[in-house]
Amino acid sequence: MANNLINNSIITKEALMIRRNTNDFLKSLSTEYQSQFARSGGKIGSTLNVRLPNDYVVQDGATVNPEATEERSIPLMIGYRKNVPMSFSTQERTLNIDDFSQRYIAPAVNALVANVSITAMDLCMQASNMVMNTDPNGNILPPSSNTWLRAKAMLTACNAPIGERYAALDPFSDASVVSGMMGMFNPTNQIGRQTIEGQMGSKILGVDDWFQDQNMPISQAGSYDSKATATGAYGTYTPNGAPVTTISASASPHSSVITVSATNGTIERGAIITIAGVNRINRVSKQSLHQLQQFVVLDNVASGATSIPVSPAIVPPNADGTPVPYQTVDAAPAAGAVIKMLLPQGAVVRRNLLYSKRAMTMATVDLEMVNNGVVDCGRASLDGISLRTLTYYNGSDDTRVTRLDVLYGFGMLRPDWAVVVPELVE
């Protein structure tokens, strides 16, 4: 009887099936722009400029004052390549798929997906909103149901779509949330999941799915004393003096830099700050919501610094108060306005996240199928994730080496459609 060898097509498909059950955060990201890359006859390279919705201002009366449409976009860059190499003998590749999958494919895929997930989690550091549970003295408490409802309200206030909202929790935060809300929900299947599996379910508090992820970021607030004041000046943030052309860990193409008096203490990247007198608005009606606009700090700020890079960009109304396209706040920072950091000095927190599916996007690219000089090559796509496996012969030790490769990129399209819900690490 002929040997039933496991080929690379089988390995690739099995690896993708394992990946589907490995990381809920990656599964929740939008992949709607993936098809734009590596199209036969129309390749666009490694960067796609994702257009944001156009924004207009409603005018009164019969007379119109036409305004030019200013389109805005955020570049999505394919900038990451990860691989896992594995060495097999022919005998090992003759095993049945269950044994082969458990012994070899699953550990490799778990390592690969974890590494990709860690890269993706950097997007959490670009979320521009925060809702936390505190006592009257300002001490951070574990998130309650009211905390999550306020975070959901924050998304709605920022005009995020009502559906496809997800909550990603650190495992310890998940334990706190389940403990605090166990039994408060009527659906018996949800109560069963909480009590039997010890984790949150789906479709609770207006959130489509709750899941835990051990790669959720843990960050420490800086030592800033929240006493620096704005000078009234602000401008477009250009890291290292160069125009922003790609979205990265340290920059967003729609961001600002606030000029301030020298800071006493450091502000860490990912910190959320407010500016006295600068309130958030309804992005559609341009009416003030009379709540301080929150900004995420895009780069580490050293003690004594006189500028702070933030997102979203500061776009105030005209001097006479009339609204403008892409307006983000009800007023520009005034000289003397106090800059406050939301987290207490030095606080170490788990950065749980409530977000809209369309806040972030991921794209993987089909790597070339190699036929010459290799033993076998396979490529497949599942749930928008493309994976290639390639086997080649290593004559130096008479083995066959199989490598799993993924080429991908991430983009934070709407920082305001993601809300950090912190829990103190104690």
Side-chain angles (χ1 to χ4, degrees), residues 73 194 401 407 423:
S73 63
Q194 292 172 12
V401 177
L407 177 63
E423 181 184 32

Side-chain angles (χ1 to χ4, degrees), residues 65-127:
N65 180 23
E67 296 183 359
T69 298
E70 179 189 354
E71 289 196 325
R72 296 192 173 189
S73 63
I74 289 182
L76 169 60
M77 185 175 182
I78 303 297
Y80 300 98
R81 171 82 176 268
K82 302 292 182 182
N83 70 80
V84 175
M86 301 175 287
S87 180
F88 308 116
S89 68
T90 303
Q91 177 179 333
E92 290 163 337
R93 287 176 65 107
T94 310
L95 298 172
N96 70 64
I97 185 61
D98 291 336
D99 291 341
F100 189 84
S101 176
Q102 181 178 358
R103 291 175 59 184
Y104 303 108
I105 302 178
V109 171
N110 289 339
L112 182 62
V113 171
N115 205 288
V116 174
S117 176
I118 290 171
T119 310
M121 286 300 173
D122 184 72
L123 295 172
C124 299
M125 304 301 290
Q126 300 177 40

Side-chain angles (χ1 to χ4, degrees), residues 390-413:
L390 185 148
T391 299
Y392 59 93
Y393 179 69
N394 189 346
S396 62
D397 59 2
D398 193 29
T399 60
R400 289 185 176 186
V401 177
T402 297
R403 56 183 294 170
L404 281 65
D405 283 82
V406 60
L407 177 63
Y408 63 97
F410 296 107
M412 174 63 87
L413 302 182

Side-chain angles (χ1 to χ4, degrees), residues 29-36 357-358 360-362 413:
L29 301 183
S30 167
T31 58
E32 60 186 301
Y33 301 103
Q34 172 151 307
S35 61
Q36 302 297 312
K357 182 182 182 71
R358 299 190 61 122
M360 300 168 276
T361 191
M362 175 183 182
L413 302 182

